[in-house]
Amino acid sequence: MLGEIRGEVRFKEPLSFHTSLRIGGPADIFVIPQDVEDIRLALSFAEREQLPMEVIGGGNNLLVSDRGVRGVVLKLEGCLGRAEFNGEEAVAGAGVSLSALIREAAALNLGGIECLVGVPATVGGAVAMNAGTQDGGIADFISAVYFLYPDGTLGEFKPGAGSFSYNVFTAPAGSVLIGARLQLHRRPFAEIQKDIKQRLKQKKSTQPLALASVGCVWKNPPGETATRLIEKVGLKGKRLNGAEISAKHANFIVNRGGAAAADIKALMQLTLDRVRNHFGIALEPEMKTMGEI
């Protein structure tokens, strides 16, 4: 069945090649599908062989075990990479990069989603994690999400109350998110471009974008910011081997070279313990983990 897949099938593929943190051991079976039919075949194979399946996009906001991941890992970045526009709506495949979608929309004088500029994600990853900034999240624009179910059928899911919460999207069990419909609005191209430039300038000045990272590690507690709490307990710039709580932005942990997942996890545990001891606040991770860490 794997032989029928027209995309790529690799065995013992290092996931460090596919994560923004540049960390991660091998995936037993790594599939880069060419189209929806390839995804169907991969789903069917995993179900038949009773293997777990994980889905990744660009590998952002993801910490993968040094020991790797058992079963099948499906990578959608590079697949389902087209967006179509009709009036003020966009239908984007899960593999479309968020930055590309923002640029394509802007060229058609369609705005709104520029509040997400600089968020490193595919559309699929952004929906799955309910990606957002202080000015808005992708959930604000979603009118429908499209899935491939384990039996190979396609489904449309219209999010309702409770479908999205902070960094969580509740998807139908066992399904693979393959695309989304977004509602945009007309806005002059010059205004959108000005907004994008200002947002990117702000990010470059405050975030360690030149280093490998997962982006923000912790969710902001109600009425507080994780960044301030981490700074207050003196952990900004703290290093462990190649891992560092960024000296530029305390809610980022960066890989300065040679960091292992265990190093990242140890810094996270240190942060969790110290913030809890000082403030009585239990920070919650914003990123996803994969494999046993």
Side-chain angles (χ1 to χ4, degrees):
M1 188 174 287
L2 287 179
E4 298 174 46
I5 291 175
R6 294 186 296 167
E8 295 184 55
V9 178
R10 304 175 189 172
F11 299 93
K12 299 299 179 184
E13 174 76 359
L15 291 174
S16 57
F17 295 167
H18 304 281
T19 62
S20 62
L21 201 55
R22 302 293 177 256
I23 288 174
D28 288 349
I29 302 170
F30 186 77
V31 179
I32 305 176
Q34 183 173 301
D35 50 26
V36 171
E37 184 56 33
D38 277 356
I39 300 173
R40 278 197 183 98
L41 288 167
L43 270 172
S44 181
F45 171 79
E47 187 172 39
R48 189 187 73 184
E49 300 297 323
Q50 295 186 307
L51 295 173
M53 174 178 276
E54 297 278 5
V55 181
I56 65 172
N60 303 291
N61 220 229
L62 179 65
L63 177 63
V64 177
S65 166
D66 300 315
R67 289 178 282 183
V69 179
R70 307 288 69 82
V72 180
V73 174
L74 189 68
K75 180 175 181 176
L76 295 188
E77 185 184 47
C79 171
L80 307 175
R82 292 184 58 192
E84 296 181 358
F85 297 86
N86 182 21
E88 295 187 356
E89 282 192 329
V91 177
V96 174
S97 78
L98 207 50
S99 59
L101 181 65
I102 292 167
R103 286 197 310 271
E104 288 181 40
L108 296 171
N109 297 309
L110 292 172
I113 53 171
E114 58 273 15
C115 68
L116 298 174
V117 72
V119 174
T122 57
V123 167
V127 173
M129 295 295 290
N130 188 17
T133 67
Q134 60 184 6
D135 296 323
I138 196 164
D140 300 332
F141 309 99
I142 298 292
S143 55
V145 180
Y146 303 104
F147 291 96
L148 187 66
Y149 292 95
D151 64 1
T153 59
L154 291 170
E156 180 184 70
F157 181 73
K158 293 187 176 179
S163 296
F164 286 96
S165 57
Y166 192 161
N167 294 104
V168 177
F169 170 62
T170 306
S175 61
V176 174
L177 191 157
I178 60 170
R181 182 182 298 274
L182 299 95
Q183 186 67 47
L184 311 176
H185 62 256
R186 295 285 173 195
R187 192 180 180 201
F189 177 75
E191 284 185 16
I192 298 173
Q193 284 294 90
K194 182 180 178 181
D195 197 357
I196 288 173
K197 286 179 181 177
Q198 287 176 340
R199 291 176 185 278
L200 288 176
K201 183 179 179 181
Q202 171 70 9
K203 282 184 177 289
K204 287 176 183 176
S205 67
T206 59
Q207 298 178 4
L209 301 182
L211 296 170
S213 81
V214 292
C216 287
V217 174
W218 305 101
K219 298 178 183 180
N220 288 323
E224 190 50 276
T225 69
T227 303
R228 192 191 78 86
L229 295 175
I230 298 164
E231 288 178 356
K232 287 288 187 182
V233 297
L235 288 178
K236 191 174 184 179
K238 174 69 175 177
R239 286 196 193 187
L240 178 60
N241 299 320
E244 177 192 273
I245 296 174
S246 173
K248 193 170 187 178
H249 191 306
N251 200 11
F252 279 62
I253 295 180
V254 298
N255 180 359
R256 287 193 163 274
D263 298 328
I264 305 293
K265 195 71 173 179
L267 282 180
M268 290 177 67
Q269 190 61 52
L270 176 63
T271 303
L272 194 64
D273 292 343
R274 198 171 287 187
V275 169
R276 184 189 288 120
N277 291 340
H278 279 70
F279 297 104
I281 294 173
L283 291 176
E284 291 183 50
E286 182 166 315
M287 66 183 182
K288 181 182 177 184
T289 58
M290 192 178 289
E292 294 182 15
I293 301 173

